[in-house]
Amino acid sequence: MNMYDALLAGGLLMLPLVGCSLFATLIILERLWSLRIARIAPPHLGQEVCELIQQGQVNLYWLESHSPLGGILAAGLRNARLGQDQVRARLQEAATAVIHDMERFLSPLGTIASITPLIGLLGTVVGMIQVFAVIVSAEGAEQTAELAGGISQALVTTAAGLTVAIPALMFHRYFQRRVEDITVRMEEQAGQVVEFLAHHGSELTLAERRDLRGARP
């Protein structure tokens, strides 16, 4: 049975399953591209920022455009003169926005993983209803084509629902873990910058005199 025959055998319920499959595929490809550690939280960025602060050459505009983590660090540095509490608060606010962006589309992907088996089960029920309707009819013994059609719909929709749900669930869990891992990396680097600011007040003062707009070395 080729793909076209399977779609026909599954009946109308194959349409939402195909739609869910296409939508899940788009989400997975987009998240694989977006949730790259090198794009969101480049390694050693926190250390590089600390060195730039020490040299009084932090360019906040460059830092903001560098990466989401850079935007978080820049938000904290803009409030450095107000004290560590304000720095931590701004870092937390900026990090919350970045985490929210990283979790984009994960809820729809989880929904697809949950509903596609149910759609497949619904197709199974509809197919079996058709089978029993043929069986109880007077000509049921002779209508083998209709019997086969009902059984095919029952089996095809179930298989299609599971085929969509299993990879959707796997990638949903994978992306959740990836978001957690990136969040931990961002927290570590942000903490490194906060600790540096707490122990190097003189360097920060120098950076403030230059308005934190020095050129990147």
Side-chain angles (χ1 to χ4, degrees):
M1 179 182 293
N2 57 39
M3 182 66 67
Y4 180 73
D5 292 335
L7 291 175
L8 291 180
L12 292 177
L13 288 174
M14 288 297 292
L15 295 178
L17 289 175
V18 171
C20 287
S21 176
L22 294 175
F23 190 35
T25 300
L26 292 176
I27 292 175
I28 290 170
L29 293 177
E30 191 277 336
R31 289 292 87 185
L32 284 173
W33 173 258
S34 298
L35 294 179
R36 290 174 292 131
I37 294 177
R39 187 189 77 86
I40 299 177
H44 312 303
L45 179 60
Q47 180 179 354
E48 183 178 358
V49 170
C50 291
E51 294 173 356
L52 292 174
I53 293 174
Q54 191 169 20
Q55 299 168 12
Q57 296 180 330
V58 180
N59 187 330
L60 293 184
Y61 300 107
W62 164 77
L63 189 58
E64 286 177 333
S65 62
H66 182 274
S67 61
L69 174 60
I72 293 173
L73 298 179
L77 291 176
R78 288 191 186 279
N79 294 269
R81 64 175 58 86
L82 301 179
Q84 290 190 50
D85 291 340
Q86 286 296 322
V87 171
R88 292 181 184 276
R90 291 298 299 151
L91 288 173
Q92 184 62 45
E93 291 176 5
T96 299
V98 172
I99 293 171
H100 182 269
D101 185 68
M102 288 194 294
E103 293 176 340
R104 182 185 303 175
F105 302 133
L106 294 192
S107 180
L109 186 61
T111 300
I112 290 173
S114 300
I115 66 172
T116 46
L118 298 178
I119 296 175
L121 179 60
L122 177 59
T124 300
V125 173
V126 172
M128 296 310 297
I129 290 174
Q130 294 178 358
V131 170
F132 283 112
V134 173
I135 291 175
V136 299
S137 66
E139 302 84 7
E142 300 176 357
Q143 295 180 346
T144 56
E146 294 187 23
L147 285 171
I151 294 173
S152 294
Q153 179 172 352
L155 297 177
V156 168
T157 53
T158 300
L162 294 175
T163 300
V164 176
I166 292 173
L169 179 60
M170 291 175 59
F171 276 103
H172 182 259
R173 297 288 177 83
Y174 169 75
F175 290 139
Q176 284 183 322
R177 180 60 183 171
R178 175 65 69 87
V179 169
E180 293 174 358
D181 184 43
I182 295 175
T183 301
V184 170
R185 291 171 181 263
M186 291 193 302
E187 289 176 349
E188 290 175 349
Q189 297 201 54
Q192 181 181 10
V193 173
V194 171
E195 183 177 355
F196 182 88
L197 293 176
H199 293 86
H200 296 78
S202 59
E203 288 83 353
L204 178 58
T205 301
L206 175 60
E208 286 181 348
R209 286 202 303 269
R210 299 185 183 186
D211 293 329
L212 294 173
R213 291 194 298 269
R216 184 187 178 194

